[in-house]
Every structure is written in structure tokens, then in C-alpha cells.
């Protein structure tokens, strides 16, 4: 069993992991950059250690600094959280080589799913439907055979970076005329953002839903899937609101998607928590997009609605830690049922009226929502100054209701209670979305903001 866990992350997710570890009786170590000396995660862990200056490349992304921190504190395991090094197979490899347990999947799994072209090939081999598209990366945008292949997919198409993530580096192309330039630019952008110019092209599914399946798998080959999450409310291909279950998925479809995700996990011998992301069209056809080999931002909605053998007993981070310690899953897919409806709003330090421009600064005062069915995962407090170096997520507000309508009303009530003074946040934006008739009716697709929010603005 793990004795001391170092959390190679910051902010709300670091706190989330510290809490789970504490409840398991595991000692915790927080790491922090010079810009984060006042961040709440450093105060909640048993120990803390500074790992470098503010810029992430010199601290949270520095593998030597993090490994040294493990050695200095005697941590025998590392939890990477999300973002930063969580999907870096080399980091997983170095941890294992140093005798430190990496709380995540094997380096091979991270590697296989990290390249989205390879991931699609593996999914296809496992019999999982994938978004129609070219099978290999674009090498030469002038290649006649390639252009022909892309035309066969049919416009619009979307160009994506094979090593991409965080919604970055995607480009929608509507006609052959703009294709060549788009491919060239995408290659350049991908090289800059992800250190690789490997790009690919797939069919752009119009007005789709983003539906994803949380899985857990142990080191003995057991895989379970959870009810789907709908993460269609997005800006710039990044999620803002997530809910579970998805209002248009019935029991039959749920099984079908869940089994597809399970097949992929089995195909690569996956273990730990992971999420298989699909895009779903109006007819309920779903296609594999990518797999995130880590805990996700929106995991609490799954915790909120999932019953295990009839009990509300799911903690995905605890399960991740137990799996890393070699424990066998204590339940299978048939033991999981749904109770109620959960919604999560990502509260970002951003100005929704200025195209979600980051709005860091000092939080003068804050009042948190509470009451029945409300969960707040956050690292902010009155007097805290949000540094400019990192992600703008400052809180996750999660509600559970007996049904979707109650969850929406509860979320609106909680958003009203949530008062953050000193900076701009996405709270007003969320209120607006949740009061939109289309949202209330469940007409939620990835075009939602464009269709219902900005056009009226
Ligand atoms: P989730 O899939 O959990 O919803 P997000 O896409 O919001 O996660 O990403 C979680 C965090 O990880 C964000 O801070 C995001 O910017 C970051 N992230 C994810 N993948 C990458 C990547 N490949 N490069 C840079 N940042 C990433
Ligand atoms: P990332 O690694 O950045 O999360 P994804 O492949 O998961 O990239 O795509 C992010 C988002 O981009 C999706 O949730 C969806 O809204 C949009 N998207 C990606 N591929 C397609 C597609 N083929 N058709 C329509 N939308 C897409
Ligand atoms: Mg994704």
C-alpha cells in the first residue's frame, strides 16, 4: 500500500487528491511553485515543498524537480492530477524507474492514446466506431492523393493535431479552396504548441454532442464503465458545463457506448481511471474521438450520480489510488446504477463578455454556495491572488438533483449564492446558459454558445 503520496499538481485538483489520500490514511506532499506559495493546496497537505519558479516549465512540468521532491520527502507514489505531466509517458516511466508508483496507467497506455491517430487505429481494431477520416498523418499538403482522400470524406472537415489537447489547434475547413492553407497553418501551429507537426483530418460532425465514458480498470484486467457524461457546452472546443446522464441517451445506447469504451480499454490492457470521448450525431451514432488517460476535470458529476450496489459510494480518485496499489476492483459494470442528475459548472477567472479573456487578480471577498446537493471543489479564499501562470479554472460547482429540472434549478440557486468579488468570473455566463430555453429542454450541442448565446449578445 502507498504510504506517502506526492501530488504533482496545484489548485483544486491537488486538493481533491489530498482529500482522497487523507481518507485512505495516506500521508500527502504538496509541491508548489514560487508563484503558488499561498495556494490552498500547500496548506492542506501534510508536507509541502517548493519545486521552482512560477513558469510551469520550470516547476510543475520539471520532471527532475518533481523526482527530487519525492526523494527529499520520501514519497513512494505520485498523483499527476490533470494537465501538466498527467499524460506524459516519459514521466510515468521515470517514476517507475525511480521506484515511485505512478498513480495512473502504464507508460505504454499513455503513449498509445497520446497519439490520436494511433489511438483511432487501435479503436478501429477493437471494433469501436471512429470518426471517418484519413488514416495516416498529413505529410505533404500538396499531395494529390491526400486531397482526393479528404474530398472523399466530404466537407466540412476538421484538422486536428495528433498530439493535441486542451481544445487547441483545431481547424474546421468548409471547402477545397481553403484546405491547403489550413493544412499548412495547422502543421505549423501544432509544431509550436505540441512540439510535433503531426496532423490529421476527419469528418466535422455538425451540431453534435460530446459524450464521454468514464472507465475504471484494475491491473488484473477488470474494466467497468460508468454512465455517460454530456460535455457539449463548450467554448473554443473546451468544456464549460458537464452533466450526467445525457438527456438523449437511453439504457440501450448507454450499454452500447459503455461497451465500446470497455473494448478499447481491454484492447490496450488499460488500468487506472480513464475517459473515452465520443462525438454523437443527431441520430445517436457515436464515434470515438480520443481517450484521456487521466482523471478529468468533470469526474465529480459521475461520482454524484453513480450508485455502487445501490449505495452512493464512488470516489474515483480513491479508486485510482487503490488500483495503483494493486487492488482489485470490488464491483463490476452491472453493480453500477444511476440515481438523479448532476451538473458541473466550471468557474473560471475569465471575462465572459470579453471572449473569455483571462481575469487573474486578487479575490477581495468570496461567499461559497452550500446546502443540499451542492459540492464546491476549489482552492480560492478571500485575499487569495490568482497567479497569471496557470489555467483559469478557480472552482468547480457541482449539483445533484433528483432529475435534470431540479438539478438546473439547484445550480441556478447555487450560482446566485456564489459571490466572488475582485475578479471577473464565468458565473454570470453560467446563469445565462442555464436559463436558456434550449438548455432547459436539453437541446445541448457543441454549437450551443454560437446558436443561443453569442448571436443574441
Ligand atoms: P478534461 O478532459 O478533463 O475536461 P480539459 O480538456 O479541460 O480536461 O483539460 C484539463 C486541463 O489540462 C486543462 O488545464 C487543459 O488546458 C490541460 N490540458 C489537457 N491536455 C493538454 C495538452 N495536451 N496540452 C496542454 N494542456 C492540456
Ligand atoms: P482535445 O484533445 O483537445 O480535447 P478532442 O479530440 O477531444 O480534442 O476534441 C475536442 C472538441 O472538439 C470536442 O469535444 C468537439 O467539440 C470538437 N471536435 C473534435 N473533433 C470533432 C469532429 N470530428 N466533429 C465535430 N467536432 C469535433
Ligand atoms: Mg478531448
Amino acid at each position: 500500500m502507498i504510504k506517502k503520496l506526492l501530488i504533482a499538481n496545484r489548485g483544486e485538483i491537488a486538493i481533491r487528491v489530498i482529500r482522497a489520500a487523507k481518507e485512505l490514511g495516506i500521508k500527502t506532499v504538496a509541491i508548489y511553485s514560487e508563484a503558488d506559495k499561498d495556494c490552498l493546496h500547500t496548506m492542506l497537505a501534510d508536507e509541502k515543498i517548493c519545486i521552482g519558479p512560477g513558469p510551469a516549465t520550470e516547476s510543475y512540468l520539471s520532471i527532475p524537480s518533481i523526482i527530487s521532491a519525492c526523494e527529499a520527502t520520501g514519497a513512494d507514489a505520485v498523483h499527476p492530477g490533470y494537465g501538466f505531466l498527467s499524460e506524459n509517458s516519459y514521466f510515468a516511466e521515470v517514476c517507475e524507474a525511480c521506484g515511485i508508483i505512478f498513480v495512473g496507467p502504464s507508460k505504454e497506455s499513455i503513449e498509445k492514446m497520446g497519439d490520436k491517430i494511433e489511438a483511432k487505429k487501435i479503436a478501429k481494431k477493437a471494433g469501436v466506431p471512429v470518426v471517418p477520416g484519413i488514416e495516416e498523418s498529413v505529410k505533404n499538403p500538396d499531395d494529390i492523393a491526400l486531397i482526393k482522400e479528404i474530398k472523399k470524406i466530404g466537407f466540412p472537415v476538421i484538422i486536428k493535431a495528433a498530439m493535441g489537447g486542451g481544445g487547441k489547434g483545431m481547424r474546421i475547413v468548409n471547402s477545397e479552396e481553403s484546405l491547403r492553407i489550413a493544412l499548412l497553418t495547422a502543421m505549423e501551429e501544432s509544431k509550436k504548441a505540441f512540439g510535433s507537426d503531426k496532423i490529421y483530418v476527419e469528418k466535422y460532425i455538425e451540431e453534435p454532442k460530446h459524450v464521454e465514458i468514464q472507465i475504471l480498470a484494475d491491473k488484473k484486467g477488470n474494466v467497468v464503465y460508468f454512465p455517460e457524461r454530456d460535455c457539449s457546452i463548450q467554448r473554443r472546443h473546451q468544456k464549460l458545463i458537464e452533466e450526467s446522464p445525457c438527456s438523449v441517451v437511453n439504457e440501450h445506447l448507454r450499454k452500447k457506448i459503455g461497451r465500446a469504451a470497455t473494448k478499447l480499454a481491454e484492447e490496450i490492457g488499460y488500468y487506472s481511471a480513464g475517459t473515452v470521448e465520443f462525438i454523437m450525431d443527431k441520430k445517436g451514432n457515436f464515434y470515438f474521438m480520443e481517450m484521456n488517460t487521466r482523471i478529468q476535470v468533470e469526474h465529480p458529476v459521475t461520482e454524484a450520480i453513480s450508485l455502487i450496489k445501490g449505495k452512493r459510494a464512488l470516489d474515483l480518485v480513491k479508486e485510482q489510488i487503490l488500483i495503483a496499489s494493486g487492488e482489485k476492483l470490488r464491483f463490476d459494470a452491472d453493480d453500477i446504477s444511476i440515481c438523479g442528475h448532476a451538473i458541473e459548472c466550471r468557474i473560471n477567472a475569465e471575462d465572459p463578455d470579453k471572449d473569455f479573456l483571462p481575469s487573474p487578480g486578487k479575490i477581495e471577498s468570496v461567499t461559497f454556495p452550500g446546502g443540499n446537493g451542492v459540492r464546491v471543489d476549489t482552492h480560492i479564499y478571500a485575499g487569495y491572488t490568482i497567479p497569471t501562470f496557470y489555467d483559469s479554472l478557480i472552482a468547480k460547482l457541482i449539483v445533484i438533483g433528483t432529475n435534470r429540472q431540479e438539478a438546473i434549478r439547484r445550480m441556478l440557486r447555487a450560482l446566485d449564492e456564489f459571490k466572488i468579488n475582485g475578479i471577473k468570473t464565468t458565473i454570470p455566463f453560467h446563469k445565462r446558459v442555464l436559463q436558456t430555453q434550449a438548455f432547459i429542454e436539453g437541446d445541448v450541442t457543441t454549437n450551443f454558445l454560437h446558436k443561443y448565446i453569442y448571436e443574441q449578445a
Side-chain angles (χ1 to χ4, degrees):
M1 186 66 192
I2 293 167
K3 290 194 180 64
K4 199 190 259 192
L5 180 68
L6 180 139
I7 298 96
N9 215 301
R10 64 180 300 281
E12 75 81 20
I13 192 64
I15 293 173
R16 169 73 186 87
V17 177
I18 290 167
R19 287 177 173 150
K22 278 193 174 171
E23 290 178 18
L24 288 171
I26 298 170
K27 291 276 175 234
T28 53
V29 180
I31 61 166
Y32 65 100
S33 72
E34 285 162 13
D36 264 347
K37 66 176 179 20
D38 297 323
C39 195
L40 189 59
H41 72 283
T42 68
M43 301 172 215
L44 297 180
D46 297 299
E47 283 174 66
K48 59 179 176 180
I49 182 165
C50 182
I51 46 139
T57 47
E58 296 168 53
S59 49
Y60 299 106
L61 287 172
S62 166
I63 297 176
S65 304
I66 294 170
I67 297 293
S68 304
C70 287
E71 282 167 358
T73 56
D76 54 358
V78 166
H79 194 300
Y82 54 69
F84 294 128
L85 294 171
S86 61
E87 291 177 285
N88 184 316
S89 62
Y90 179 65
F91 180 55
E93 185 179 346
V94 173
C95 287
E96 297 296 341
C98 295
I100 301 160
I101 297 171
F102 178 77
V103 182
S106 67
K107 68 170 198 314
E108 288 83 9
S109 290
I110 301 176
E111 217 164 74
K112 281 181 184 153
M113 295 296 111
D115 181 330
K116 293 183 179 182
I117 299 173
E118 292 310 310
K120 277 180 81 174
K121 279 187 198 163
I122 295 168
K124 211 169 166 182
K125 193 171 147 230
V128 176
V130 301
V131 185
I134 62 169
E135 303 230 331
E136 299 296 334
S137 68
V138 174
K139 277 156 203 104
N140 171 13
D142 291 314
D143 183 358
I144 309 265
L146 168 81
I147 304 295
K148 227 169 136 183
E149 213 186 330
I150 294 174
K151 274 166 74 178
K152 231 166 76 190
I153 304 168
F155 291 98
V157 296
I158 183 166
I159 307 174
K160 298 166 75 171
M163 310 308 289
K168 290 180 202 99
M170 274 177 256
R171 219 161 247 277
I172 298 153
V173 181
N174 289 308
S175 67
E176 193 184 344
E177 291 74 59
S178 43
L179 184 61
R180 186 177 167 276
I181 296 291
L183 289 169
L184 278 170
T185 326
M187 281 171 93
E188 259 170 52
E189 280 179 358
S190 175
K191 178 91 196 160
K192 261 194 217 140
F194 308 110
S196 152
D197 65 0
K198 210 168 165 184
I199 58 162
Y200 64 110
V201 182
E202 59 186 29
K203 177 87 192 149
Y204 180 67
I205 312 288
E206 292 183 80
E207 301 211 25
K209 273 180 175 292
H210 172 118
V211 174
E212 60 181 37
I213 300 289
Q214 172 76 54
I215 60 140
L216 276 179
D218 64 22
K219 293 181 178 174
K220 314 232 178 331
N222 304 299
V223 184
V224 298
Y225 68 87
F226 291 88
E228 74 291 337
R229 296 189 286 249
D230 181 336
C231 312
S232 303
I233 302 286
Q234 305 181 344
R235 61 97 218 275
R236 299 195 286 264
H237 309 298
Q238 284 176 330
K239 301 157 190 163
L240 288 168
I241 301 177
E242 302 96 345
E243 58 183 304
S244 184
C246 169
S247 52
V248 301
V249 171
N250 60 26
E251 204 46 51
H252 175 72
L253 185 55
R254 178 163 302 130
K255 272 212 169 86
K256 231 166 114 180
I257 309 176
R259 283 182 181 152
T262 305
K263 270 198 278 180
L264 176 61
E266 284 168 350
E267 180 75 27
I268 58 169
Y270 192 85
Y271 59 77
S272 190
T275 297
V276 185
E277 296 191 333
F278 298 94
I279 199 105
M280 194 167 83
D281 68 18
K282 288 251 182 306
K283 293 183 200 135
N285 298 309
F286 60 91
Y287 308 94
F288 169 78
M289 268 192 310
E290 67 154 347
M291 179 170 188
N292 291 146
T293 54
R294 55 172 165 86
I295 193 80
Q296 276 187 298
V297 174
E298 59 274 22
H299 76 274
V301 293
T302 301
E303 293 176 332
I305 58 108
S306 301
L307 297 188
I308 312 282
K309 297 179 184 165
K311 289 193 178 134
R312 205 174 285 288
L314 179 64
D315 182 316
L316 286 163
V317 177
K318 277 189 193 168
E319 295 297 338
Q320 248 190 326
I321 296 171
L322 294 172
I323 290 166
S325 316
E327 286 200 25
K328 189 173 165 287
L329 282 172
R330 288 150 294 125
F331 51 91
D332 54 43
D334 293 333
D335 293 326
I336 301 166
S337 57
I338 302 177
C339 181
H341 194 99
I343 305 176
E344 173 182 274
C345 287
R346 295 193 190 194
I347 314 298
N348 296 341
E350 290 172 359
D351 186 348
D353 293 329
K354 289 199 182 122
D355 202 16
F356 297 94
L357 189 75
S359 171
K362 187 174 173 184
I363 293 169
E364 300 296 344
S365 65
V366 53
T367 322
F368 293 108
N372 200 6
V374 176
R375 168 175 172 181
V376 186
D377 278 23
T378 184
H379 57 281
I380 64 166
Y381 54 87
Y384 173 66
T385 300
I386 300 156
T388 52
F389 297 105
Y390 317 110
D391 201 83
S392 57
L393 183 78
I394 52 167
K396 303 191 307 205
L397 177 56
I398 305 106
V399 301
I400 171 90
T402 47
N403 54 43
R404 192 168 184 271
Q405 294 314 316
E406 188 185 56
I408 292 174
R409 285 196 299 271
R410 183 161 284 163
M411 181 59 90
L412 280 166
R413 185 271 287 171
L415 286 164
D416 260 340
E417 287 175 18
F418 208 161
K419 302 264 191 295
I420 304 175
N421 297 312
I423 55 156
K424 295 268 190 231
T425 76
T426 46
I427 291 174
F429 161 82
H430 287 303
K431 284 187 189 167
R432 199 164 155 203
V433 171
L434 267 82
Q435 283 169 309
T436 306
Q437 198 53 32
F439 185 88
I440 295 167
E441 285 165 11
D443 174 18
V444 178
T445 64
T446 61
N447 310 63
F448 187 91
L449 260 59
H450 181 72
K451 209 165 150 184
Y452 298 109
I453 303 291
Y454 292 137
E455 276 192 353
Q456 291 167 9

